[in-house]
Amino acid sequence: MSSIEKVVKRSGAIVPFTPDRITNAIYRAAVAVGGRDRTIAEGLSQQVVALLERSTPPGHIPTIEEIQDLVEKVLIENGHAKVAKAYILYRDERARHRKERAERAQSPSGNIPWAKIWHVLDWAVAHRVHTVEAYNQRVRQGEMAHIIQEAEAAYNEDIENAVELIAPRRGEIKVVIITGPSSSGKTTTTIKIGQHLRHLGVKLVTLNVDHYFFDLELHPKDEFGDYDFETPQALDIPLINQHLARLISGEEVRIPFYDFKTGHRTNDHTPMRLAAGEVILIDSLHGLYPAMTESIPDEQKFKVYLEPLLQMKNAEGEYVRWTDLRLIRRMLRDASHRAYDPTRTLEHWHYVRSSELRNIIPQIGTTDYIVNSAMPYELSIYRARLLESFQKWAEAYRSDPLREDAFIRADRILKLLQTIDPLEGDQLIPKDSVLREFIGGSVYSY
């Protein structure tokens, strides 16, 4: 047992010292450069703890920064230069993100698709759903059915626009990628785009990159037993890239099979070869990650990016956060299709968001078309289904410094949902709506 019992977080909060956090940080850096041996990370972590105990004066509570300095020192002294570099880069990146958050109000982000946002905002104003107050007023006037029809029509128009851009290039494009952050609606959108393209005579073959996951125990895991499988490194990126190149060149490859029940992958499982004129269709969280498709020339790829780009201001005049919509969607989907407790989804979300900010959002500028999957009326669905849960979570995490992220999100969403008029049933929601991917009752099989 370590003589260090407490540490000081950057927020100033004092929390219990957990050596596993050091192990996880070292292992995460190792995974980023291709390492998968957790025992090495555990040994290095023990060295860090021993050095921390020797260097900490009596009565002093070490800070996170002090511990991170020691991690860098131990990594370098043990000859793990690549891991040390990955750790330092990640640390610097986190510091930069904190600085950017502080400066965000003064300068616009280059990671936001402003032209698309303006189009969505213009639509929201025209349909009187640009504020919670305006939206509630329409609901109270009995216009919910119209709001649903208008929102669904806008989404389907986006789908058609993407298809119209792909169709003229059918002889050139070899890979169509549907991508976007977690719970943006990729699966439904992939199905819809696939249907439209097949109707136009485009031959599509789906490549499920989820089968390229590494075995679950090879992913970083935190002190709560939660695995971080949200990063690109959770997938065998080099193998995906290699298989894509070979498929396009006309070769046969054998796709691995990943068993989500056991968390294990079987290699060389399913043979796959493209017939003449066939196009690969990929639905992937990390579809924009450069290394995944670097062997494919840009002119042979078409990338569709999804995000629920809701343009609605809350009672305080702040825009509803897209990440909050996606968190709620994932809670409902995980509970319905994966038997996950929504509490588990909330506590895991910081991994989701961290990976998005590092690996997905910065790539938005490389996409060919952006689809807005937000539905203003989805807030009413969430109010009816999850308001009491968010009340419970906000209270449970209020005084827990180890769950600060979960509290901030739960409290923010609670305050929003309290201002929204509820939609108790789902009879008005089309069976092919993108929201059915999360709330159930879809005509599609997921």
Side-chain angles (χ1 to χ4, degrees), residues 195-369:
Q195 288 177 336
H196 280 278
L197 289 174
R198 289 187 181 95
H199 182 72
L200 295 175
V202 179
K203 302 175 184 177
L204 297 171
V205 177
T206 300
L207 178 64
N208 185 354
V209 298
D210 284 353
H211 287 308
Y212 291 82
F213 270 115
F214 285 106
D215 289 352
L216 185 61
E217 65 263 22
L218 296 178
H219 302 325
K221 183 173 67 171
D222 65 21
E223 68 271 24
F224 301 106
D226 190 9
Y227 287 96
D228 181 7
F229 45 80
E230 303 294 341
T231 68
Q233 289 76 28
L235 295 165
D236 195 338
I237 296 293
L239 186 60
I240 296 173
N241 183 56
Q242 178 193 124
H243 279 184
L244 285 172
R246 290 177 59 191
L247 285 167
I248 289 174
S249 68
E251 297 181 41
E252 179 180 284
V253 301
R254 287 188 169 270
I255 307 300
F257 174 78
Y258 187 83
D259 188 331
F260 282 90
K261 292 182 179 179
T262 64
H264 288 89
R265 185 179 86 186
T266 303
N267 292 319
D268 302 325
H269 186 273
T270 308
M272 179 176 179
R273 183 195 295 269
L274 294 184
E278 287 185 331
V279 175
I280 299 172
L281 182 63
I282 296 175
D283 160 12
S284 175
L285 180 71
H286 297 294
L288 297 183
Y289 189 65
M292 179 182 287
T293 60
E294 63 183 357
S295 63
I296 313 301
D298 287 341
E299 61 271 17
Q300 293 184 342
K301 296 180 284 193
F302 191 93
K303 295 172 284 188
V304 178
Y305 181 86
L306 273 89
E307 180 78 71
L309 303 171
L310 187 69
Q311 293 299 291
M312 180 186 290
K313 286 187 175 182
N314 62 22
E316 285 72 43
E318 300 171 339
Y319 282 103
V320 174
R321 300 198 182 200
W322 311 330
T323 182
D324 291 343
L325 294 179
R326 293 189 290 101
L327 168 58
I328 299 172
R329 288 177 173 189
R330 181 150 161 174
M331 283 179 171
L332 294 173
R333 184 197 67 190
D334 285 354
S336 175
H337 300 294
R338 301 180 182 179
Y340 282 6
D341 187 323
T343 303
R344 181 178 175 184
T345 305
L346 175 60
E347 293 176 350
H348 180 79
W349 192 253
H350 67 101
Y351 284 135
V352 176
R353 193 61 181 149
S354 175
S355 181
E356 290 170 358
L357 291 171
R358 297 185 70 200
N359 304 302
I360 300 176
I361 306 302
Q363 304 297 330
I364 290 178
T366 68
T367 194
D368 295 292
Y369 190 77

Side-chain angles (χ1 to χ4, degrees), residues 32-135:
V33 296
R36 297 278 171 179
D37 191 337
R38 189 176 176 86
T39 59
I40 295 177
E42 291 170 348
L44 293 168
S45 176
Q46 291 171 4
Q47 291 185 41
V48 173
V49 173
L51 183 57
L52 179 64
E53 290 174 339
R54 291 196 303 269
S55 61
T56 301
H60 175 70
I61 301 177
T63 66
I64 295 295
E65 292 286 349
E66 290 170 345
I67 296 173
Q68 289 180 335
D69 289 342
L70 294 182
V71 171
E72 291 181 14
K73 175 180 172 65
V74 168
L75 287 173
I76 293 171
E77 289 180 349
N78 281 268
H80 296 285
K82 288 185 178 180
V83 178
K85 182 179 179 180
Y87 182 83
I88 293 168
L89 288 174
Y90 179 72
R91 186 180 177 186
D92 288 345
E93 187 176 19
R94 297 281 289 181
R96 187 172 68 254
H97 282 318
R98 288 192 295 272
K99 183 179 179 182
E100 288 173 355
R101 284 197 297 270
E103 297 173 347
R104 193 168 294 158
Q106 301 175 3
S107 59
S109 169
N111 292 332
I112 295 178
W114 296 107
K116 183 71 175 185
I117 290 297
W118 172 251
H119 175 78
V120 177
L121 176 59
D122 185 59
W123 181 92
V125 172
H127 291 81
R128 293 183 289 121
V129 291
H130 57 297
T131 67
V132 168
E133 181 181 6
Y135 167 78

